[in-house]
Amino acid sequence: MRFSLAAGIARVSFKSKIPTTTTTPLFVSVRRYVNVLYRIPPEHTIPTHSPSGEEIDTELFIRQLKDLFLALRQTQLVEQVHEMRACPYYDCLFSADIMFQHYDVVLPMPKYGREHRSSEMSETLRYLRACGATGDFNHILQDVKGGAASGGDFVSTSHGIFMAYGTSRTNKLCMMAITGAGAPNEAAAVQQRSLNVEPIEVDPEAPPLADMMAFAGKRTLIVHDTVHGRKAAEAASRAVLKVPWQILRVEPGCHFLSHLCGVNAVYDVLVDQDYPISMERIGEAGLNPFPVEWTEPRKLGISMRSVCLIARFARGSMSAGGYADSDGHRAASFNYHSRNIAKNSRLFQNGHRRHGDSGGPLEAQLRSGELPEPVYQRPPRYAPPMHRSGGLVNSNEKD
């Protein structure tokens, strides 16, 4: 038996004593739509001591960050890993705090309090476009007057988005805007509610929701075994009653990384290797724990999730291409006739974008080599050429 694999197509040839050879084309499903983007800050900007006085080895800090993404490549959590250009400040490490992405909707966070990261946000959007973002960049959170939001307070699940509010990071104004409570009319409220955001009120001193809760597999929520983690898990299970959630509690100081991967259930979880009890619990729950060394970032309170900007470009209906995932209970609420339902429909999911980028900065980045080359794929040939037999798969028949 001989195997040869190329571009997702495997050909298995069976050879025996009989002179005839049978070639059977087999299609191997390959996911190529989950990306992770990250930035490594300059070494001189990394703190040398933690707030409690522990000394931090900056070289080991950077090496453990890079090892995290090397381990991420070995899992099924992501398909491609992209390192973005470093910015001259330490905050650029937290790439997941300025952006949140769910299927074909990208939500940039408000710039209030992070004005120095404005150019970084614009550049990250161009990186997302180069990675395959086909949907709209929804700037509804940036339009809220006095609103504050952080990407760490959003968690994607197969049945909606959990959003924590009630802290200085994410206030109630942004929650009301994204859930349709402050919409000017009912049509716009329907568009905003179709994002399917489930708000969870947390205490003012609670950590980011994505740091203490993560989605894994089909219906598993991994939470910290703390007061805030238990409250968030109870609120999430009450918000979506149709799903029999499996709540998996891990040790309070344990950092982990898992997320919604699109249409396929993925059971891999990155876990801090210094917490063997948590790794054992995750393994007993049917998940695959991957140990990661995380000593130096843990001293600064940095979670694995906060340095990984996850970008899933999996589902598209009015947008270009992608899967049409019908698991969500509002998945099929859009069609081609709903684009003009609101006066400013380009703000919302799958809206018709009337105004786009001029392409100047993106073209400059592509030419300078900062972004990967775009992929041009020819449309498939559905009909054979004239005057001879042909098709998509070569046959063994003689012409």
Side-chain angles (χ1 to χ4, degrees), residues 112-192:
Y112 178 74
R114 50 173 76 98
E115 289 85 357
H116 63 291
R117 305 183 68 179
S118 178
S119 60
E120 178 192 351
M121 296 174 70
S122 303
E123 187 182 5
T124 304
L125 293 179
R126 292 196 288 271
Y127 273 105
L128 289 173
R129 281 287 190 219
C131 291
T134 56
D136 285 342
F137 292 138
N138 188 326
H139 51 82
I140 183 172
L141 292 179
Q142 294 184 338
D143 294 341
V144 179
K145 190 173 183 179
S150 172
D153 284 318
F154 293 84
V155 173
S156 291
T157 69
S158 56
H159 288 74
I161 305 170
F162 291 135
M163 174 187 181
Y165 72 97
T167 62
S168 59
R169 297 182 309 271
T170 305
N171 57 17
K172 194 173 182 179
L173 290 174
C174 283
M175 184 276 295
M176 295 174 62
I178 202 171
T179 54
N185 51 49
E186 182 59 28
V190 170
Q191 288 270 7
Q192 294 177 18

Side-chain angles (χ1 to χ4, degrees), residues 4 34 37 45 47 62 167 175 281 283 333 386:
S4 62
V34 184
L37 299 94
T45 62
I62 294 179
T167 62
M175 184 276 295
R281 289 182 188 174
S333 60
M386 293 176 59

Side-chain angles (χ1 to χ4, degrees), residues 351-370:
H352 183 61
R353 190 174 68 253
R354 300 185 181 89
H355 309 288
D357 296 334
S358 60
L362 176 61
E363 182 70 19
Q365 283 191 315
L366 287 173
R367 290 185 177 181
S368 64
E370 295 177 12

